[in-house]
């Protein structure tokens, strides 16, 4: 029987906080199709081994305990190849199957780290990631889609995800949002409404 050829290679991408060991952003993937020789309902290599949040949190806690004082970037944990990078106070993890190529997984974690450095400009830490959650989620979606690696060039990823140019945004500097400014807007609106009502009568 020929080997099972598939593009599916990523089981999960995790961004976890090292300070309080909380999850910041986690994405778990399942293979879109089971292998032809797998019976229905069975656990095949691309199946998500952590279907519930409880299972996912237990896996993440064990992973944090295992990688907390590691000096290498690649480990085998829970019959999964895990590559990781520490960046500020967060850990970036990419999880693949036991037979997955570590270099391929490592290129994904490097692409994630480098694209976040380009997008977030200041630093890749928990607070910055939470404040720019939309950009981080879009960057992960540009790198991996349903467990299939799409792109590993951080410059291309950042260009696809970056915010719109500032000149297209409304200039918020000239808007007075203080209490007095809001009262002025309210009075202006009342005057215009009164003028319109007088003209209509």
């Amino acid at each position: 029987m020929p080997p099972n050829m598939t593009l599916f290679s990523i089981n999960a991408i995790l961004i976890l906080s090292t300070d309080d060991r909380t999850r910041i952003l986690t994405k778990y993937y399942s293979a879109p199709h089971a292998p032809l020789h797998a019976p229905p309902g069975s656990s095949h290599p691309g199946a998500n081994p952590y279907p519930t949040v409880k299972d996912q949190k237990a896996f993440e806690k064990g992973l944090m305990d295992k990688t907390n004082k590691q000096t290498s970037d690649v480990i085998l944990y829970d019959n999964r190849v895990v590559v990781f990078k520490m960046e500020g106070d967060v850990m970036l993890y990419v999880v693949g199957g036991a037979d997955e190529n570590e270099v391929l997984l490592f290129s994904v974690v490097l692409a994630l780290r480098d694209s976040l450095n380009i997008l977030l400009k200041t630093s890749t830490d928990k607070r910055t990631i939470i404040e720019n959650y939309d950009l981080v989620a879009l960057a992960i979606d540009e790198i991996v889609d349903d467990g299939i690696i799409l792109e590993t060039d951080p410059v291309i990823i950042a260009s696809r995800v970056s915010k719109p140019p500032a000149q297209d945004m409304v200039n918020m500097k000239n808007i007075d949002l203080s209490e007095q400014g809001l009262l002025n807007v309210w009075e202006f609106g009342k005057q215009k409404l009164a003028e319109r009502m007088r003209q209509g009568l």
Side-chain angles (χ1 to χ4, degrees):
M1 188 180 281
N4 185 21
M5 300 296 286
T6 179
L7 293 174
F8 182 81
S9 54
I10 306 291
N11 290 114
I13 293 183
L14 314 171
I15 301 177
L16 305 177
S17 171
T18 57
D19 293 341
D20 51 2
R21 296 175 173 256
T22 57
R23 54 189 351 205
I24 299 172
L25 190 149
T26 60
K27 287 195 168 233
Y28 288 84
Y29 304 103
S30 291
H33 305 290
L36 295 175
H37 55 81
S42 68
S43 177
H44 54 86
N48 185 358
Y50 315 106
T52 65
V53 175
K54 182 180 176 185
D55 294 338
Q56 292 172 3
K57 286 188 176 183
F59 172 73
E60 292 161 12
K61 181 183 181 311
L63 190 61
M64 282 293 289
D65 292 339
K66 177 96 173 174
T67 59
N68 200 15
K69 295 190 172 74
Q70 286 281 337
T71 55
S72 65
D73 293 330
V74 180
I75 63 167
L76 185 65
Y77 177 73
D78 199 22
N79 202 25
R80 305 259 174 243
V81 174
V82 179
V83 295
F84 59 95
K85 277 288 188 191
M86 184 165 187
E87 193 71 21
D89 60 351
V90 297
M91 285 284 249
L92 309 173
Y93 294 96
V94 175
V95 182
D99 57 347
E100 199 55 58
N101 185 344
E102 297 89 1
V103 176
L104 180 70
L105 297 177
F106 196 69
S107 69
V108 172
V109 81
L110 289 180
L112 177 61
R113 182 197 66 184
D114 295 342
S115 61
L116 291 181
N117 284 337
I118 293 170
L119 287 168
L120 302 180
K121 292 181 180 85
T122 55
S123 66
T124 307
D125 58 358
K126 180 180 177 181
R127 180 176 179 206
T128 311
I129 289 174
I130 291 173
E131 288 173 354
N132 297 286
Y133 195 86
D134 54 344
L135 293 178
V136 176
L138 285 172
I140 290 174
D141 288 341
E142 286 295 327
I143 297 170
V144 176
D145 183 33
D146 279 338
I148 299 170
I149 299 169
L150 300 176
E151 185 64 63
T152 57
D153 185 356
V155 176
I156 293 174
I157 295 164
S159 69
R160 290 180 183 165
V161 172
S162 60
K163 292 183 178 179
Q167 68 266 18
D168 295 342
M169 311 244 331
V170 177
N171 188 3
M172 296 294 286
K173 292 180 181 176
N174 298 333
I175 298 175
D176 184 13
L177 295 177
S178 66
E179 186 176 348
Q180 184 60 43
L182 293 175
L183 287 174
N184 291 343
V185 169
W186 174 253
E187 289 300 320
F188 179 76
K190 278 184 9 184
Q191 289 174 357
K192 288 295 180 186
L193 181 64
E195 286 177 15
R196 294 286 172 124
M197 299 220 18
R198 274 186 249 135
Q199 290 175 355
L201 296 176

